[in-house]
Amino acid sequence: MNFQIRDAITANVKGDSANEFRDTVEDAISRGEEHLLPGLGVFLEKWWKASSAAEQEAFTEKLSKAFQN
């Protein structure tokens, strides 16, 4: 992923509240448009870097289960 994309997405949501982030994520998912996936990837990257090992493990376990269906 290009760093300019990361920077643009970060600048676009800087200062957003938790509710605004929820709205952004839910909107991107509901639209199902592939051009929105890089933004969700940037969100995941930021979350991952800020999460504990336990949070990361819980996430990857849940993700693994979600893709078994």
Side-chain angles (χ1 to χ4, degrees):
M1 187 179 304
N2 186 317
F3 280 102
Q4 292 174 345
I5 293 172
R6 284 186 181 102
D7 293 344
I9 291 165
T10 299
N12 193 43
V13 298
K14 189 171 184 135
D16 280 6
S17 69
N19 285 335
E20 289 169 317
F21 273 106
R22 175 180 285 278
D23 290 345
T24 299
V25 170
E26 289 178 349
D27 181 57
I29 292 169
S30 70
R31 286 186 192 199
E33 297 175 12
E34 290 192 14
H35 76 275
L36 298 173
L37 293 176
L40 295 176
V42 172
F43 288 4
L44 174 61
E45 180 182 45
K46 293 279 190 183
W47 176 86
W48 187 267
K49 288 180 178 180
S51 296
S52 68
E55 289 170 320
Q56 292 171 351
E57 178 66 24
F59 175 79
T60 55
E61 286 294 324
K62 187 176 254 185
L63 194 58
S64 175
K65 288 177 184 174
F67 279 95
Q68 289 178 7
N69 297 330

